[in-house]
Amino acid sequence: MAKTRPGLMAKPKPAKKDLDSYTIRGTTKVVRAGDCVLMRPSDTGKPPYVARIEKIESDARNNVKVRVRWYYRPEESIGGRRQFHGAKELFLSDHFDVQSAHTIEGKCIVHSFKNYTKLENVGAEDYYCRFEYKAATGAFIPDRVAVYCKCEMPYNPDDLMVQCEGCKDWYHPACVGMTIEEAKKLEHFVCSECSDDEVKRAENGFSSSPAAEVKTGSYLCLTHHEPLYTVCIISSRSPTPHFCLLPRVFTH
């Protein structure tokens, strides 16, 4: 009689259970899906990773796991950190992962860029995000950003800027020949272009009407590192103006 061998039974996978919240080990802080957290890096010499919790679950052994969407720091991106990136700037990536909940060190807040610039005091837990980032390709969404000043650089909220009372454009003190200390003491500021225009108007007998003028700036393309469009700034009270796009022609 031929010998028979019993079939091997596959072990059932431990049942997983979705959790509404998780209390960070050693603290009373509670995190939920949608919260942003600081996570312990494998290299102790690096700052904590920042992630957004997408889901919390536990297995039959009560091991708690979190599904996260990583934020990247500028220096972790393919293009690296650039002059206009702020110290607290993050990119929301398309990189998802599953980690042990025990690696969560604390909570943080990732603000929109607009809300971050309105903060009176920036705490250690405050960050901001103005771009989404494709980890595999290094692409950004949006892929272009408005620029300011003579240097045509995007706005960095860490840097002091002064606004011209004429054209309403914003300038770095160093780009207009003054120190930060001098800029802080200013009561009024008019850029050199507006000063020259004022002289010309006076010579020609025309009155000044800055509000009716159009100031042009440009966009910086984050992929190609060059301006793609001229931007017509209709009104601006802060470095978040209203735009209309006009084609820009380049000669190579």
Side-chain angles (χ1 to χ4, degrees), residues 209-226:
S209 180
E213 295 179 359
V214 172
K215 177 71 177 179
T216 59
S218 50
Y219 270 130
L220 180 73
C221 176
L222 298 179
T223 303
H224 301 97
H225 298 186
E226 65 181 7

Side-chain angles (χ1 to χ4, degrees), residues 140-151:
F140 289 91
I141 301 174
D143 65 351
R144 61 200 64 174
V145 61
V147 296
Y148 302 89
C149 190
K150 294 180 178 180
C151 62

